[in-house]
Amino acid sequence: MDRIIYTSMTGANASMQRQAVLAHNLANASTTGFRAEMANFRAVPMQGEGAKTRVFALEATSGHRSAAGPAQTTGRPLDAMAVGNAWFAVQGLDGTEAYTRAGDFQLTAQGQLVTGNGLAVLSDGGAPIDVPQGAELVLGGDGTLTAQLPGQPAQAIARLKLASETADTPLQRGDDGLFRTAGGEPLAQDPNAQLRAGMLEGSNVNAVECMVGMIAAARQFEQQVKLLQTAESDDKSAGRLLSLTA
Amino acid sequence: MMNSLWIAKTGMTAQQTNLDVISHNLANVSTTGFKRNNAVFEDLVYQNLRQVGAQADEQNQLPTGLHLGLGVNVVATSRKFTQGSLQQSENNLDVAIDGKGFLEITMPDGTTAYTRDGSFKLDSQGRVVTSNGLPVAPGLMVPPDTKNISIAQDGSVSVTVAGNPQPQQIGQLTMSSFINPAGLEPVGQNLFRESAASGAPQQGQPGTNGLGILKQGFVENSNVNVVEELISMIQTQRAYDLNSKAVQTSDQMLARLSQL
């Protein structure tokens, strides 16, 4: 049988995986601080004996879109949006320092500052942040957390760690959806990083682009299937030619 | 079968939950002391099909990997305890809280529940109760010949009875606050219960420790912002549409495949 079916199968398979990436982005169109996953096709020439006549297609994800998502004003004092390419440092479930753009901070019953899904938010010293009971909390533009207890002067209790991604230390998404550096070593505190309190960053998924990508991938898939059908009919014709009873 | 079908399904489910939360907020737009909720989303785990940076051969590394996300998940509904506006009610058993605290209510099983709804009534025995008939903690009894009830900012309740111009104090309202009010468990009827996430109640007299003061003759309106909810509703519907489109496209691809 013609080898074209294997080549076009890789194309069809890659389009299906592209759909998965696009569907994942669309599914997270309302996830706070979500970074869209970027996808690209890779050409892989077949290695081996004989002529290199075939190139397979492979779907690959080449990281995340780094543009900031839209700002949504919530008015809640513990909601924060990181400005520019700054990230909030949190402690991942594996104990390592990880980064997120989702700034919907909460307090635990023990008074620890955590993210919406319960991970400890880290201070510039790399430690979890504890706040006093009954305090009125205010987040400053540079990440300073001020607590005011009734009848006492306001007091800065910690500064959130804000780290910036640089060209040398790009952040990559882990399997848990948090971002880390390639080598896993923590980023340094960025003294110039800023946040905006009372706001949340929306998802940076571009719905138009996703929809168009989805249509394109579906059409591409159809083309691959068409190729498979062509291969089949070619094979049939060849079979007829070679048939003894024709 | 096809990953994208199931991924888009998580998106549709999440948006549906979001709409449930929004509808509940809108339904309670006139509920005294109601605090609005928001659904919180999180991306699901990623499938690492091809590790980025793996060796393609002895000299070369893969420049890109294949990292497939598996959709979205609703992780929480986060309650916003911002202050609602105060509305004059001209009922002198109504109190509104200006601050962070909660009034305490004794439940039928003897436990304490917490509320921001201070629209109190009298029952046939003269007890101060909520609109659902649950007594305020600690119990307040109003004498039968009471002419006037006054509730002070600090929670002390006094009455003047017929034939005596001197007001008499009959009790004291206390309030509680929680380190993480968002962790309180809502039980309906405008009541919340303490949970492991909320922390223990910090009890005190109104006006102390940031509990807030009481304002007699006012009720606290719901803090639902109708404009915001409607915008969220539009966004939710569109996101739902987009995800259903993804289901449709995936289905068409599958149909095409089965025609082979």
Side-chain angles (χ1 to χ4, degrees):
Chain A
M1 193 138 169
D2 201 313
R3 293 182 183 98
I4 188 176
I5 62 162
Y6 291 106
T7 318
S8 40
M9 183 204 75
T10 64
N13 206 9
S15 327
M16 267 169 74
Q17 286 178 338
R18 165 68 55 91
Q19 288 296 16
V21 174
L22 292 171
H24 178 66
N25 284 347
L26 275 182
N28 284 289
S30 324
T31 304
T32 305
F34 180 74
R35 287 280 177 267
E37 186 91 338
M38 302 218 286
N40 63 319
F41 289 120
R42 235 158 42 87
V44 182
M46 212 198 68
Q47 310 282 335
E49 305 272 310
K52 290 180 183 171
T53 52
R54 277 169 291 152
V55 178
F56 291 146
L58 272 186
E59 167 74 352
T61 49
S62 52
H64 57 276
R65 177 203 295 275
S66 56
Q72 292 162 355
T73 311
T74 63
R76 189 174 160 269
L78 277 184
D79 281 345
M81 174 180 175
V83 179
N85 58 354
W87 293 72
F88 300 112
V90 299
Q91 192 165 33
L93 284 179
D94 55 357
T96 61
E97 184 170 319
Y99 303 93
T100 180
R101 294 277 297 191
D104 52 333
F105 300 133
Q106 310 281 344
L107 290 176
T108 64
Q110 287 74 39
Q112 196 177 62
L113 191 70
V114 294
T115 62
N117 45 17
L119 299 173
V121 179
L122 298 178
S123 71
D124 52 1
I129 299 169
D130 289 310
V131 301
Q133 168 84 41
E136 200 75 55
L137 297 172
V138 178
L139 265 174
D142 66 346
T144 308
L145 185 65
T146 312
Q148 163 141 45
L149 284 163
Q152 287 176 29
Q155 205 179 0
I157 51 168
R159 187 174 169 197
L160 266 59
K161 179 165 180 181
L162 286 163
S164 293
E165 184 183 19
T166 63
D168 299 331
T169 54
L171 290 175
Q172 294 173 353
R173 199 189 322 248
D175 297 350
D176 53 1
L178 294 170
F179 288 77
R180 291 179 180 81
T181 54
E185 63 276 0
L187 290 174
Q189 163 88 12
D190 181 354
N192 301 319
Q194 293 279 312
L195 62 79
R196 301 269 178 276
M199 280 186 186
L200 281 179
E201 179 177 353
S203 160
N204 76 343
V205 171
N206 181 339
V208 180
E209 210 178 287
C210 271
M211 290 305 286
V212 174
M214 215 153 74
I215 295 169
R219 290 285 170 242
Q220 196 174 355
F221 182 82
E222 276 182 35
Q223 283 172 7
Q224 307 297 334
V225 173
K226 189 87 195 160
L227 267 177
L228 290 176
Q229 283 168 336
T230 313
E232 194 189 9
S233 66
D234 283 1
D235 197 50
K236 264 189 196 146
S237 315
R240 263 201 307 277
L241 278 178
L242 295 174
S243 160
L244 290 172
T245 58
Chain B
M1 282 265 274
M2 259 184 101
N3 264 349
S4 52
L5 264 179
W6 288 104
I7 294 169
K9 178 236 150 210
T10 67
M12 289 177 80
T13 315
Q15 296 305 335
Q16 203 178 321
T17 312
N18 200 5
L19 193 62
D20 292 348
V21 174
I22 295 169
S23 316
H24 183 68
N25 285 347
L26 281 175
N28 283 292
V29 72
S30 316
T31 305
T32 310
F34 179 77
K35 299 295 173 197
R36 74 191 149 99
N37 259 323
N38 279 71
V40 181
F41 299 114
E42 176 185 79
D43 44 350
L44 274 174
V45 291
Y46 288 75
Q47 235 183 342
N48 203 351
L49 296 180
R50 195 173 305 113
Q51 179 60 47
V52 61
Q55 296 301 128
D57 53 44
E58 271 181 31
Q59 288 98 44
N60 302 309
Q61 281 187 339
L62 290 178
T64 50
L66 182 54
H67 220 176
L68 289 183
L70 295 179
V72 67
N73 190 18
V74 189
V75 274
T77 50
S78 138
R79 203 172 282 277
K80 304 273 185 295
F81 278 92
T82 53
Q83 176 80 40
S85 58
L86 300 191
Q87 189 188 347
Q88 196 153 18
S89 67
E90 292 174 356
N91 177 354
N92 59 9
L93 270 175
D94 283 346
V95 284
I97 305 164
D98 184 7
K100 289 201 307 184
F102 292 84
L103 288 161
E104 296 154 358
I105 305 296
T106 308
M107 297 294 274
D109 60 358
T111 57
T112 304
Y114 302 89
T115 185
R116 294 280 301 184
D117 174 13
S119 54
F120 295 133
K121 314 280 184 297
L122 287 181
D123 70 1
S124 57
Q125 299 151 41
R127 291 189 305 172
V128 178
V129 295
T130 67
S131 307
N132 287 308
L134 298 169
V136 174
L140 285 177
M141 288 293 276
V142 176
D145 47 356
T146 297
K147 270 168 54 190
N148 195 16
I149 300 178
S150 124
I151 303 171
Q153 286 194 350
D154 66 356
S156 63
V157 185
S158 39
V159 294
T160 44
V161 291
N164 185 355
Q166 269 316 311
Q168 304 163 19
Q169 188 172 345
I170 57 162
Q172 165 78 43
L173 287 170
T174 53
M175 290 209 293
S176 288
S177 72
F178 295 88
I179 187 155
N180 179 25
L184 287 170
E185 179 195 351
V187 289
Q189 304 188 339
N190 292 350
L191 299 176
F192 295 98
R193 270 185 201 277
E194 175 194 344
S195 79
S198 68
Q202 304 289 310
Q203 211 183 34
Q205 204 176 325
T208 59
N209 292 327
L211 283 170
I213 54 166
L214 292 178
K215 288 189 94 70
Q216 188 186 15
F218 285 85
V219 289
E220 182 181 358
N221 285 327
S222 147
N223 71 348
V224 175
N225 181 336
V226 183
V227 181
E228 208 177 300
E229 299 300 334
L230 285 177
I231 299 286
S232 310
M233 201 151 80
I234 295 171
Q235 261 191 341
T236 304
Q237 194 195 349
R238 291 293 171 234
Y240 188 83
D241 284 353
L242 291 172
N243 281 295
S244 70
K245 191 81 192 163
V247 171
Q248 209 182 341
T249 313
S250 309
D251 177 47
Q252 279 166 3
M253 282 166 70
L254 269 184
R256 197 81 180 78
L257 194 62
S258 58
Q259 282 163 15
L260 256 183

